[in-house]
Amino acid sequence: SLSCRLYCEEEKDPKRRSCQTVLAEALDVVVRSFAPILPYLAEEVFQHLPYKKDSEGVFRTGWINASSAWKKPGIEEAIEGACAMRDSFLGSISGKNALEYEVVIVIEPGLLFELMEALQAEETSSVSQLNEIMMASQTTLLSELPKETPADANIIKGTFLINLEGGDIREESSYEVIALPIAKAKCPRCRRYTSDSSSTPCPRCLKVLAGKGST
């Protein structure tokens, strides 16, 4: 989640820094958008930005100018697909704490699976972008249903339509989402169920704490 990236990762970790970059870009767009109708508020916000590089003011630095680097092909579809699977997951646990579960996502080989791999390169992760979107403690991405799946597991099935290149690339893919109670203990630092003991931080947090101690 957003808070986990900001408060649990190392200060200069790319995941934390990229989150700050997105927040800064979003704030810049919002401030410039309402500047014509709320000029004093916009100027006050702009002048108090801790990272601003100029002092000319919001009205002298131009209109919104988003970088083309934000427009990566497929990223919108990847996020929308992941959000659809998250909705399936959250719906299957009926308002329970999502962090008390691990999610298994099964997608047939194809474009949708490749898009999800862009959000999680590893088969199983507790710190990937995909897992953050799922809001679980751990996410596993597979191309076929695991043999050890419990017989009474609640398997939610769904489909997602990918639309790329203005409709030139269209592919409907099916997926399955399985929510399983996680067996690990809650980490006392990040509050995810990724630790071997409730009194010991998880491996990710131990690494971050060790880095702080050496600086």
Side-chain angles (χ1 to χ4, degrees):
S1 66
L2 181 66
S3 60
C4 195
R5 276 194 177 200
L6 289 174
Y7 301 118
C8 296
E9 298 291 355
E10 292 184 71
E11 182 179 359
K12 296 183 179 180
D13 187 283
K15 292 190 288 294
R16 182 176 184 273
R17 298 291 290 131
S18 64
C19 182
Q20 290 178 310
T21 299
V22 170
L23 291 174
E25 182 73 13
L27 179 60
D28 185 83
V29 170
V30 170
V31 171
R32 294 181 191 278
S33 296
F34 68 63
I37 55 175
L38 295 170
Y40 294 108
L41 176 60
E43 187 62 34
E44 183 176 2
V45 172
F46 195 80
Q47 291 299 329
H48 284 82
L49 296 178
Y51 50 82
K52 67 182 180 68
K53 298 180 180 179
D54 55 67
S55 57
E56 292 185 354
V58 66
F59 292 101
R60 298 195 177 200
T61 53
W63 186 235
I64 299 168
N65 185 24
S67 170
S68 59
W70 295 100
K71 300 177 182 179
K72 293 185 178 180
I75 192 65
E76 182 178 354
E77 286 71 19
I79 299 298
E80 289 181 351
C83 287
M85 296 172 200
R86 179 191 62 195
D87 292 343
S88 297
F89 160 56
L90 296 178
S92 71
I93 61 175
S94 304
K96 297 178 181 177
N97 184 2
L99 290 175
E100 296 179 358
Y101 290 83
E102 61 176 309
V103 184
V104 178
I105 300 174
V106 182
I107 307 174
E108 59 187 17
L111 185 54
L112 182 59
F113 187 87
E114 293 174 6
L115 290 175
M116 292 305 105
E117 280 190 314
L119 300 177
Q120 178 170 301
E122 309 88 351
E123 182 176 285
T124 299
S125 177
S126 61
V127 297
S128 69
Q129 295 180 67
L130 179 59
N131 187 66
E132 289 182 353
I133 294 172
M134 297 304 294
M135 300 168 62
S137 279
Q138 181 174 287
T139 297
T140 298
L141 178 63
L142 301 171
S143 58
E144 59 182 14
L145 198 67
K147 296 180 181 178
E148 63 273 15
T149 302
D152 59 346
N154 184 18
I155 302 176
I156 307 299
K157 297 183 179 182
T159 59
F160 183 75
L161 178 62
I162 300 171
N163 193 337
L164 293 171
E165 304 294 337
D168 291 339
I169 300 176
R170 292 172 61 88
E171 181 178 301
E172 186 174 58
S173 299
S174 61
Y175 63 83
E176 296 173 316
V177 175
I178 310 169
L180 301 172
I182 199 159
K184 294 187 177 181
K186 180 192 287 188
C187 171
R189 182 173 181 270
C190 69
R191 304 299 180 184
R192 288 182 176 175
Y193 290 77
T194 52
S195 180
D196 294 328
S197 168
S198 59
S199 60
T200 306
C202 66
R204 186 272 302 273
C205 287
L206 284 173
K207 181 179 178 181
V208 173
L209 293 170
K212 288 183 177 180
S214 60
T215 57

